[in-house]
Each structure stands twice: as C-alpha cells, then as structure tokens.
Amino acid sequence: MWGWRAVSVAMLCIALSGAWPALAAEPVGQAVVIKTEVTGQSGPIEVDTRVHRNERIKTSQSGLGQFLFRDGTKLAVGWGSSVVIDKYVFDDSQSVKKLTIRAAKGTFRWVSGSSNSSAYQILTPAGTIGVRGTAFDFYVGPDGTTAIVLLNGAARFCGPGGCRQLQQRCDCVVAKPNGDMSAARRVDPSILATLGNQRALPFLSGNQRLAGGIGMLGGCNVASVAPERKDRTRPPPAVMPAPQRQDPPQRQAEPQKERPNKPDKPHHDKPHHDRPHHDKPHHDKPDRPDKHEGHGRHDDDGKPGNHGLDHRGHERHHDRDRDHDNDRNRETGRNFNRGR
C-alpha cells in the first residue's frame, strides 16, 4: 500500500516539475493591439496580455497582433503567422543581451528597441536576419521562401547561399531554403508575383493596417498592386458617363434638323402678310363693284359712268325700227294688190 502511495507522489512530482518551467517562464513583453484572433501558449491573447519566453504566437487568417518588448522593440505579427520567442536574456539596464525569435511562417514587421544591434536575431527557414538598429518587413512562405524589405537602418541576411547586405530604404532580398538568393535591389510590385502570394507583405501593400508609430513606416510603391487599388483603377464606370455627356449634343441635333423648316414657314407666310398686292385685291373687290356692276343693273338712274339708260334707249330704238319695218311691209302689200 505504501508502495502505491510512493509511486503516486513520484508521478505528481514529475508532473509538477514538467509544468513548473512553463509557469515560471519570464515575461518578455505584452500585446498592445489585437485584431480578430491571436493565440498563445495559454489560449487567446488580448490587449495587455503578457507574452513569455519560448511562447508560440499564432494568428488566424485575418488575425493581427502587435507586441511591445521590455526594451522597446516592436513586433507586428500579421495574418496566418506562427512565431516563437526563442531566446530572451534581459539585464538591469533596460536592454536585452539576447533576443531571438524564430519565424516559422507568415508576415511580420520588426522595429528595434534600445538594445545593441548585435543582441537581435531573427531565424527563418531560409536563413538568419541580422539586425543593425533597423526596421523592416519580412515574409515567410509555406515552402520557407523568405523575403526581407528594409524600411530603416540596415540589415544583413545570411543563408546557405551566402550573405546579402540591405543598406538603402526599400532594398529587398528573396531567399530560398536551398540556398538560392537574389541580389539586394529596390522592391517593386512584382515581388508579390515572385512570392506567389498577393497577400504577402500586407503592411506594405495595405491589406493590413498597423496602429501607432509602427504603422507610419512602409510605402516603397508596393501598395500599387493591392487588390483595393486594382479595383479603383477600373475605369469602365468612368467611361459610362462619357456617352451620357454626349447625349445633349445629340438632342440639339434634332432642333438643327427643324431649323431649315423654320425659315420656310416665314418664307411662305410673309408674302401673304407683307405683300400688299396679294392681299389688297381680296379686300378691295367688295369696294370696287360700283365701276363694274353698272353693266348688269337695269334700274340705274343713268348717272355718268352708268350704262343703264343707254341700254333702254337701245331697246326703244329697236322697237322703232321694228315698227318702221312693219309699216313698209304693209305698204308693199298694198301696192302689190293694186297692181293685180
């Protein structure tokens, strides 16, 4: 019976001894910004949650976490990332003797604190980033391909294929785990196609926005290929108003077709109103019958210019001639009888 108790106590001690280092891990910093979902060793991380040495920090596909270390170093962890605070040695002078993080995958922004540059080291599957009092973004793809873009100061990347110095703002190096490494050159929008991921380097492209002074860094013209920018540069909606603006001239063209007819109407109308020789005869005819109606009126008073009396006299003269002819006929008849 005592044997079983001894075994139980021993197993409990072993369990406590295994859990003790995790519980006693030294806090190295805290979360200052959390968006969507960020988790640590003990569960979800919220603002002001402390992070510890050897703790793995993960973000969801839309997650974002910003962390501040004790010496003022700032680390932003973007979407779909996984990073471990590997080594942390702090001294009493508010600086660190050693701060090493191991980035397995994802997107990050680093801004050095007040410690010596030689104290910082970032490990990636393709090589090691040596910090020289600097700020930079870096991306680690699923296959370990690593890209570094310098934002301030200087940095050095070393891998199986050698080392590259980044000394000017927006210098970029892309390295693969097999040792292939590009020369340091100014970054441009083609970097996202090279990495095979349009969401790589989201703090430069604008796909994710950081808060505070750490968000003021960036640029390097990588934002010109952000999905939002591609949508903005679509001009079909801007072309649509152009035909609409040309509609008013088309509407004005219809009145122009009618304009030739407008002068025609006045051309035909004016003669009727403006030419007196067409209108006056129609209005004067009722006033002139006195000069012409005398030819047909038989009851006129025979005034000058009237032919009524002449017509009557002509009838009377005709009657006299007819009577004279009758008398002559009678006289001739009488003489004929007498001769017989």
Side-chain angles (χ1 to χ4, degrees), residues 18-255:
W20 176 255
L23 296 174
E26 180 181 8
V28 296
Q30 64 182 9
V32 294
V33 174
I34 297 295
K35 294 181 180 180
T36 310
E37 183 179 356
V38 182
T39 59
Q41 185 172 346
S42 58
I45 297 177
E46 299 178 354
V47 175
D48 294 333
T49 298
R50 291 186 175 185
V51 292
H52 302 82
R53 180 171 56 86
N54 293 328
E55 184 174 9
R56 180 178 294 276
I57 299 171
K58 294 182 179 181
T59 60
S60 65
Q61 290 302 314
S62 60
L64 172 65
Q66 292 181 215
F67 301 91
L68 178 64
F69 293 91
R70 294 175 63 179
D71 71 330
T73 297
K74 299 175 183 178
L75 176 66
V77 183
W79 61 271
S81 301
S82 176
V83 61
V84 176
I85 304 172
D86 192 22
K87 296 180 180 179
Y88 186 88
V89 180
F90 188 77
D91 58 19
D92 296 335
S93 61
Q94 297 300 314
S95 62
V96 295
K97 293 182 179 180
K98 194 68 174 179
L99 174 56
T100 302
I101 66 171
R102 187 181 299 274
K105 65 175 182 176
T107 62
F108 308 89
R109 173 166 292 181
W110 171 278
V111 178
S112 299
S114 58
S115 303
N116 293 330
S117 299
S118 58
Y120 303 116
Q121 192 175 45
I122 299 172
L123 305 177
T124 73
T128 301
I129 303 174
V131 180
R132 299 292 181 266
T134 187
F136 53 86
D137 282 12
F138 64 101
Y139 165 78
V140 179
D143 62 349
T145 299
T146 302
I148 310 99
V149 178
L150 182 67
L151 302 177
N152 189 20
R156 183 183 183 185
F157 186 85
C158 294
C163 295
R164 297 287 188 271
Q165 300 288 338
L166 295 90
Q167 298 178 340
Q168 296 183 1
R169 174 176 167 79
C170 298
D171 275 355
C172 175
V173 170
V174 178
K176 295 183 176 296
N178 61 6
D180 292 342
M181 188 183 308
S182 70
R185 63 179 182 87
R186 184 175 179 82
V187 69
D188 57 49
S190 66
I191 183 66
L192 301 182
T194 301
L195 298 174
N197 189 346
Q198 293 296 317
R199 297 185 67 194
L201 303 172
F203 309 137
L204 292 178
S205 67
N207 287 335
Q208 284 189 313
R209 299 189 180 278
L210 301 174
I214 191 173
M216 300 301 293
L217 301 170
C220 298
N221 296 324
V222 178
S224 61
V225 296
E228 296 84 0
R229 186 65 56 90
K230 286 182 178 179
D231 295 340
R232 290 176 193 168
T233 53
R234 268 190 195 166
V239 175
M240 293 298 292
Q244 295 177 357
R245 292 179 183 175
Q246 293 177 359
D247 288 343
Q250 294 176 357
R251 293 176 183 173
Q252 292 179 1
E254 296 177 359

Side-chain angles (χ1 to χ4, degrees), residues 311-323:
H311 184 66
R312 289 178 184 178
H314 177 70
E315 289 179 353
R316 290 174 184 176
H317 183 270
H318 180 68
D319 293 338
R320 288 177 184 177
D321 292 339
R322 184 176 58 186
D323 293 338

